[in-house]
Amino acid sequence: MSAPKIAPYDRPAGGWGALKNVAIQLVAQGIPLKGARTLLSANQRSGFDCPGCAWPDREHASTFEFCENGAKAVAAEATKRRVTPAFFAAHSVTELLDCDDYTLEGYGRLTHPLRYDAATDHYVPIAWDDAFAMIGRHLRALPDPDQAAFYTSGRTSNEAAFLYQLFVRHYGTNNFPDCSNMCHEPTSVGLPPVVGLGKGTVTLEDFEQADTLLLFGQNPGTNHPRMLGELREAARRGATIVSINLLHERGLERFADPQSPAEMLSLGGTSISGHYVTPASGGDFAFVKGMIKHILERDAQARADSLPALLDDAFIAEHTRGFETFAADVRAERWDDLERAAGVSQAQMRRIADVYLRGERVIATWGMGITQHKHAVETIQMIVNLMLLRGNIGRPGAGLCPVRGHSNVQGDRTVGINEKPSAAFLERLGKAFDFDPPRRPGLGVVDTIAAMLEGRIKVFIGMGGNFAMATPDTPRAWEGLRRCDLSVHVATKLNRSHLVHGRDALILPCLGRTEIDMQGGAVQGVTVEDSMSMVHLSYGINAPASEHLRSEPAIVAGMAQATLGRGPAGRDDWHWFVEDYDRIRDGIAATFEDFADFNRRVRRPGGFRLDVPPSQRRWLTPNGRANFTTHALPRELPIDVARRHAGARGADVLQLATIRSHDQYNTTIYGLNDRYRGVFGQRRVVFANPEDLDARGLRAGERIDLVGVWDDGVERRAEDFLLVAYDIPRGSVAAYYPETNGLVPLDATADGAGTPTSKSVPVLLERRGG
């Protein structure tokens, strides 16, 4: 482990630094040879889908279809380290709670099912059947199925997720909080009314043809590094790349492809972004609206001068509705209001709008820098408005690309993990499995925590993930979990959620994506869906970490059998589905038209793409058209409210954006470095504009506390952070989650979507001991 230091990193993303860190991870996990063999099967036809991000796979032209951070995920799963019953006999839960998250992750793979023993404060082994029986007793004892919540993480396969929702809906509830609630929910809410589908419209082939790419609120160098390969190729063939992001990120500036001998030998790289814009936190809505205002002004002038129109009039007339009302609203906006809200000059908005106008084939991408704000839905719809102006949806080289995070978070939603299911889906599910699914809308993440605190949720079951650390308002989330009668976590490795538990608690260890899954005497494959709606098979290649592990579908079947007694559609046993995962896929095909002939199609090389109607300019909206949406510029932002609430210190309030370090994936901490941002051996740092520090009498190198500012009377404080001077817009600071999740108020959510506003958290900086 490197000594704590701040040291600027002047090399490209990727390159020798990425290769070095892959090797470090394999050695650290004790698997230099096994790990290398495993990585060669990542994202290959006969191998496994990477358990990291959801970026699509190339058609396997290379044996190296993994990135640095994917390698970290694979190494962590394939580690030789084990967390056995002897480990828990030696360590109480109270003792383990004092460990940081990096240490907990580093202990290794769980090997046995475990039950919490309150008398000793230790986890102790339990037989699988006894664990399932405990779950069944608790669930059957509830007077109302809505008193249970069933969480899903994005690593869960389509098969496990579908069987999970089938079990839970047979049980009688739609309470499906999932990781989508905390990341791309505004995408899922914002896109259907305007283009008819809550997913992206492009493929990798579109990236090959695009001449302009607008990248909003994302850091691919850390969060989905394989995307940098597409950006590198686009830049090298002359495409214009514009990055609109709060922070200058190394992967968006320069990238060296580890598979390029020329770049590796020259220690060089490829420049990625031709233009880089850093709006204020949450300023993207106003920035895009300013771009649109400029485009409308230029188009009007062109028409007045008898020059060709700049808008795609034919597309707008044939495929859209709402343009005139929308355009009138944009024309009425004042430039000084747009500048204030965007934190970007009029000249810069006009300059990037001209870049867009020069593009013939434009792709717009976005990540959580867009979705974790109060006005996230409106921002996404404003990006769609921009793209509709020139017909940049539904033709080659153009379209929308929301970049999902976890490897199957989109697939889980597709197969039914949704707390607000459509009536059409429930009708088809009920018909396919001969039952009447519950119609009441269920609870998402934020509402689940609130219900726990109110005593309305008694049982919590987590299918993967780290709910206690991923969620906002950490102390309140922990209090809610501890009020449950039972908490259950299906997991591969120890994490903090296992230590913040209900009165009864179970840890159920499962197979990882890299491991061989034998059921019914045959090797089983699972399927996943990537960010571009491609569905493909994944087969593990490693022996299981323990003979006591079970697959996620097998665990779901065990819980369902113990709770309900009989299988669906008159079957006696839920385990029938697990004997051959083709049976689960047949159930998916019977429920969703897009999955017709699922088992045959998914065995084609590369799998198949689900139907994406907007790609063919088919708009499954109520009016059958793509819709321009009119949204007024917010006259008061959450930061304005917070500054009023702070009274005399209002001028000192800053907006905190919670971010990942390069050595983490979601809440999993792989190391204590963030080398692209120059941070080594530590995580409790705050990136701040030097002028903001001067204005508050602070200086880089001091240690401070972050103090939340909200109007609910709850004190929120994250202690002992190092101030780091950084190139970030004035008024904004950034720090890593999950350490700062406790500063995100439970009721600070995106309008209409409920996503925590983790990229715009009002805070004060207080000097330690001051």
Side-chain angles (χ1 to χ4, degrees), residues 295-311:
I295 291 167
L296 294 178
E297 290 176 355
R298 276 202 57 192
D299 177 71
Q301 187 62 52
R303 294 171 195 264
D305 295 341
S306 299
L307 296 173
L310 299 180
L311 305 185

Side-chain angles (χ1 to χ4, degrees), residues 177-199:
D178 78 308
C179 54
S180 289
N181 297 148
M182 294 181 284
C183 56
H184 266 281
E185 195 70 45
T187 298
S188 300
V189 170
L191 289 182
V194 293
V195 297
L197 186 72
K199 300 181 182 182

Side-chain angles (χ1 to χ4, degrees), residues 441-507:
L443 302 178
V445 165
V446 167
D447 290 335
T448 293
I449 296 170
M452 287 176 176
L453 290 168
E454 295 167 6
R456 293 187 287 115
I457 293 294
K458 301 293 187 181
V459 173
F460 176 86
I461 298 178
M463 185 61 62
N466 187 356
F467 189 86
M469 296 308 294
T471 48
D473 230 342
T474 307
R476 300 180 73 194
W478 288 19
E479 181 184 351
L481 284 166
R482 286 170 168 152
R483 289 188 178 187
C484 291
D485 292 334
L486 173 69
S487 58
V488 180
H489 292 280
V490 179
T492 57
K493 304 185 78 177
L494 181 65
N495 67 49
R496 192 156 312 272
S497 291
H498 309 151
L499 312 176
V500 182
H501 53 75
R503 283 176 280 275
D504 283 336
L506 293 167
I507 303 174

Side-chain angles (χ1 to χ4, degrees), residues 36-278:
R37 288 193 301 268
T38 303
L39 287 172
L40 292 177
S41 291
N43 301 316
Q44 301 294 326
R45 287 182 185 171
S46 59
F48 60 90
D49 191 82
C50 178
C53 78
W55 189 252
D57 305 336
R58 275 282 165 200
E59 191 46 41
H60 309 309
S62 167
T63 55
F64 298 96
E65 289 292 331
F66 59 87
C67 66
E68 176 189 348
N69 279 7
K72 292 172 185 174
V74 170
E77 187 172 288
T79 181
K80 73 173 185 179
R81 301 173 185 172
R82 300 290 182 264
V83 181
T84 66
F87 170 89
F88 287 103
H91 300 284
S92 69
V93 167
T94 300
E95 177 186 346
L96 291 170
L97 272 169
D98 289 334
C99 297
D100 61 29
D101 295 283
Y102 172 56
T103 300
L104 292 175
E105 168 72 22
Y107 283 128
R109 290 291 300 276
L110 295 159
T111 62
H112 290 69
L114 301 158
R115 171 186 63 83
Y116 179 66
D117 182 356
T120 64
D121 191 34
H122 286 256
Y123 274 101
V124 297
I126 184 174
W128 277 106
D129 286 348
D130 292 339
F132 294 142
M134 178 185 289
I135 295 169
R137 284 195 303 273
H138 274 277
L139 290 177
R140 289 194 305 274
L142 296 179
D144 182 346
D146 286 338
Q147 290 183 345
F150 299 83
Y151 178 71
T152 317
S153 95
R155 281 178 61 171
T156 306
S157 69
N158 288 329
E159 290 73 17
F162 182 79
L163 198 62
Y164 192 44
Q165 65 82 32
L166 184 62
F167 153 49
V168 172
R169 291 192 164 105
H170 267 86
Y171 174 64
T173 185
N174 286 311
N175 285 347
F176 283 109
D178 78 308
C179 54
S180 289
N181 297 148
M182 294 181 284
C183 56
H184 266 281
E185 195 70 45
T187 298
S188 300
V189 170
L191 289 182
V194 293
V195 297
L197 186 72
K199 300 181 182 182
T201 68
V202 299
T203 65
L204 289 181
E205 287 70 28
D206 290 313
F207 272 79
E208 294 173 354
Q209 299 176 57
D211 60 29
T212 305
L213 295 103
L214 307 178
L215 315 180
F216 291 94
Q218 62 185 129
N219 176 20
T222 288
N223 299 333
H224 29 270
R226 283 188 296 140
M227 182 181 181
L228 292 182
E230 308 303 327
L231 299 181
R232 173 183 177 272
E233 291 303 311
R236 290 171 71 87
R237 70 167 184 272
T240 301
I241 299 174
V242 181
S243 290
I244 305 102
N245 196 60
L246 182 67
L247 297 172
H248 279 271
E249 301 289 10
R250 183 53 45 86
L252 292 172
E253 295 173 332
R254 194 167 186 83
F255 171 61
D257 187 350
Q259 297 190 56
S260 169
E263 289 186 345
M264 296 298 282
L265 291 174
S266 68
L267 303 180
T270 298
S271 294
I272 300 299
S273 299
H275 303 268
Y276 211 120
V277 183
T278 54

